[in-house]
Amino acid sequence: MDALLIVDFQNDFTPGGALPVADGDRIAGPINELLDSFDLVIATRDWHPADHGSFVGVEVDPAKWRGADPPSIWPVHCVAGTPGAELHPDLERAKVDLVIDTGQDPNSQGYSGFQDTQLGVLLRERGVDRLFVAGLATDYCVKNTVLDARREGFDVTVVEDDVRGVDVEPGDSERALEEMEDAGARLATSDEILAERA
């Protein structure tokens, strides 16, 4: 079975949010066009505690920190229960079957939808073997979710026109796409996917 996985398409990651991705809101239309082509649609959602260690100004015990990036590098964003943490209003929320909250451990970045969640178990329980991944941000949560999905043995297609990156360093998103391809993920446009599934 195939599933569409929408990564962190949340208010704080779109223009006007606390940690906006350029043109992050423009993925809404193409994602919505894909929704009816899948029997299972899952969205991940950063759902951080207010004292999350990735937030600038939060003191972190280095001995407890789990993650490649240093702690305290991002502005406060996607705090659980706040409007910024909610899924973007342009996403057709009624067509999302499951929402998986990520990044709840204050001592871990939680970039991947698989990290410290039941996502892998839920996918297997539903017989999913192929994932089509869209969302934000290409070079962080999308990349890490895709790499973990490949490690877990899922066939993965990245919907390349339905992702946008932060690009802290120029080219980060392109390098992320290359890394995902090197790990065995396929890149395809939403139009190509719709044509395949027609």
Side-chain angles (χ1 to χ4, degrees), residues 17 29 40 68 94 99 105 126 128 148 154 169 178 190:
L40 181 62
V99 176
D105 179 349
R126 287 161 177 78
V128 173
D148 278 355
F154 293 100
E169 297 293 332
E178 290 171 7
S190 52

Side-chain angles (χ1 to χ4, degrees), residues 14 17 20 34 36 42 49-50 59 70 74 81 103 120 145-146 148 170 178-179 184 186 188 193 197:
T14 55
L34 288 173
D36 290 331
I42 301 171
E59 297 223 5
W74 300 115
T145 297
V146 166
D148 278 355
E178 290 171 7
E179 189 175 345
R186 176 178 77 117
I193 291 165
R197 303 180 71 78

